[in-house]
C-alpha cells in the first residue's frame, strides 16, 4: 500500500512569491493535515481537511490556505512568501479522528524563501 | 496555546542501556496523547495513541504510560539499540477539534 506522498521535495522561492504544495493521502483516508516545522520549533498545526472541507486551522495568517479535492488529495497554498516561511511542511493523513487514530506522515516539502 | 513539554531535549544512551523520557501536557480537558518516532531523513512514524488514564502500551522494546490527572506520559526504551536513534515526539489533543499540539521532541542518540 502506498504511503502519503508529497510534492515537490524541495522548493526555493523569493519573498513575495506564491507557492503550492501537494499531498496525496493513503487510499481510504479522508482526513488530511498540514504541519509546519520551522527551524528550532516543533511541528506546528496548520490545517485539517476532511471530506473536502476545512475543519480547523492553526494560528497562521490567512495567506496560508488550502483545499481538499474529491479524491482527498490536498494542496497547501502560501501567498506573499516571507523569509520566516522557510520550513519543512509535512502532510499527514488518517482514517478518522486523531483522537483515536494515528496519523501517517509524508516525506515533507522543504521550502526555502530567499 | 497548548504547552507540551518534553524532557530531556536530547540524550545519549549507551547501547544496551534502558532509558526513559517525559512528555508533560495540560491536565484539563484531555482527549488523547500520541507518540511518534522521527528518524533522520524519514517521516514521523506513529508509536502509540493513548486515551485513558493509566494506559500502558508496548511495541517491542518501547513502551509508554499515561497519567492524565497529573498531565504526563513516559516513554521507555529497554535495551537501547543504534536503530532506536531518533527524535521521539509526543502530541496532545485537548478537545474534540482533532488538532495535535506537538512537543519539540526528545532526541535520542544510541552509542554503539
Amino acid at each position: 500500500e502506498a504511503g502519503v506522498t508529497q510534492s515537490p521535495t524541495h522548493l526555493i522561492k523569493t519573498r513575495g512569491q506564491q507557492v503550492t504544495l501537494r499531498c496525496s493521502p493513503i487510499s481510504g483516508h479522508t482526513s488530511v493535515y498540514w504541519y509546519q516545522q520551522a527551524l528550532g520549533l516543533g511541528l506546528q498545526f496548520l490545517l485539517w481537511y476532511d471530506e473536502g472541507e476545512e475543519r480547523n486551522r492553526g494560528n497562521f495568517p490567512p495567506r496560508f490556505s488550502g483545499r481538499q479535492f474529491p479524491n482527498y488529495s490536498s494542496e497547501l497554498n502560501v501567498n506573499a512568501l516571507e523569509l520566516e516561511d522557510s520550513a519543512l511542511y509535512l502532510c499527514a493523513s488518517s482514517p478518522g479522528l486523531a483522537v483515536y487514530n494515528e496519523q501517517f506522515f509524508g516525506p515533507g516539502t522543504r521550502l526555502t524563501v530567499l | 496555546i497548548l504547552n507540551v513539554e518534553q524532557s530531556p531535549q536530547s540524550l545519549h544512551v549507551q547501547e544496551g542501556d534502558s532509558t526513559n523520557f517525559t512528555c508533560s501536557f495540560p491536565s484539563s480537558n484531555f482527549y488523547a496523547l500520541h507518540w511518534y518516532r522521527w528518524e533522520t531523513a524519514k517521516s514521523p512514524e506513529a508509536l502509540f495513541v493513548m486515551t485513558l488514564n493509566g494506559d500502558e502500551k508496548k511495541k517491542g522494546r518501547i513502551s509508554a504510560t499515561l497519567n492524565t490527572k497529573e498531565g504526563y506520559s513516559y516513554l521507555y526504551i529497554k535495551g537501547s539499540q543504534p536503530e532506536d536513534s531518533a527524535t521521539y515526539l509526543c502530541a496532545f489533543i485537548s478537545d474534540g477539534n482533532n488538532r495535535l499540539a506537538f512537543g519539540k521532541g526528545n532526541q535520542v542518540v544510541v552509542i554503539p
Side-chain angles (χ1 to χ4, degrees):
Chain A
E1 180 184 279
V4 177
T5 60
Q6 291 186 245
S7 63
T9 307
H10 295 87
L11 205 51
I12 299 175
K13 292 283 188 178
T14 56
R15 285 176 59 189
Q17 286 189 307
Q18 178 265 343
V19 69
T20 298
L21 311 181
R22 295 178 175 83
C23 171
S24 290
I26 290 173
S27 177
H29 289 189
T30 62
S31 279
V32 171
Y33 309 82
W34 287 96
Y35 295 91
Q36 181 199 65
Q37 188 187 40
L39 192 64
L41 298 178
L43 284 174
Q44 302 290 314
F45 169 80
L46 263 167
L47 290 159
W48 167 36
Y49 291 96
D50 184 65
E51 296 286 359
E53 300 285 331
E54 181 181 304
R55 302 293 184 182
N56 206 337
R57 66 180 291 127
N59 298 322
F60 283 84
R63 57 192 186 80
F64 287 83
S65 65
R67 54 180 173 168
Q68 187 178 34
F69 298 97
N71 67 354
Y72 303 116
S73 67
S74 177
E75 285 181 351
L76 174 69
N77 299 293
V78 188
N79 294 320
L81 284 166
E82 300 180 3
L83 296 178
E84 54 264 33
D85 297 334
S86 294
L88 177 68
Y89 290 85
L90 286 173
C91 168
S93 72
S94 71
L97 291 177
V99 174
Y100 306 112
N101 295 278
E102 63 191 67
Q103 295 188 3
F104 295 80
F105 284 83
T109 294
R110 174 77 62 184
L111 172 65
T112 302
V113 182
L114 302 176
Chain B
I1 296 177
L2 298 171
N3 210 16
V4 181
E5 300 285 343
Q6 292 188 249
S7 62
Q9 187 175 352
S10 66
L11 64 163
H12 289 73
V13 185
Q14 204 66 40
E15 182 177 356
D17 287 352
S18 296
T19 189
N20 66 85
F21 28 90
T22 308
C23 172
S24 301
F25 51 86
S27 57
S28 60
N29 207 22
F30 173 88
Y31 266 62
L33 188 89
H34 292 214
W35 279 100
Y36 291 85
R37 175 169 61 195
W38 195 356
E39 295 179 65
T40 302
K42 293 187 178 180
S43 308
E45 176 189 351
L47 288 171
F48 308 113
V49 176
M50 309 176 80
T51 57
L52 298 175
N53 185 43
D55 249 357
E56 291 189 27
K57 297 216 171 179
K58 188 176 180 181
K59 184 181 282 190
R61 293 177 292 96
I62 300 177
S63 60
T65 61
L66 178 66
N67 184 323
T68 62
K69 293 183 179 179
E70 296 183 38
Y72 65 84
S73 175
Y74 292 140
L75 192 79
Y76 300 90
I77 303 177
K78 183 178 179 182
S80 303
Q81 299 297 309
E83 59 264 30
D84 297 328
S85 297
T87 296
Y88 292 82
L89 299 170
C90 75
F92 166 69
I93 301 178
S94 68
D95 55 35
N97 67 16
N98 207 39
R99 180 171 160 170
L100 286 175
F102 280 87
K104 290 187 178 181
N106 305 105
Q107 185 180 26
V108 176
V109 176
V110 180
I111 303 166

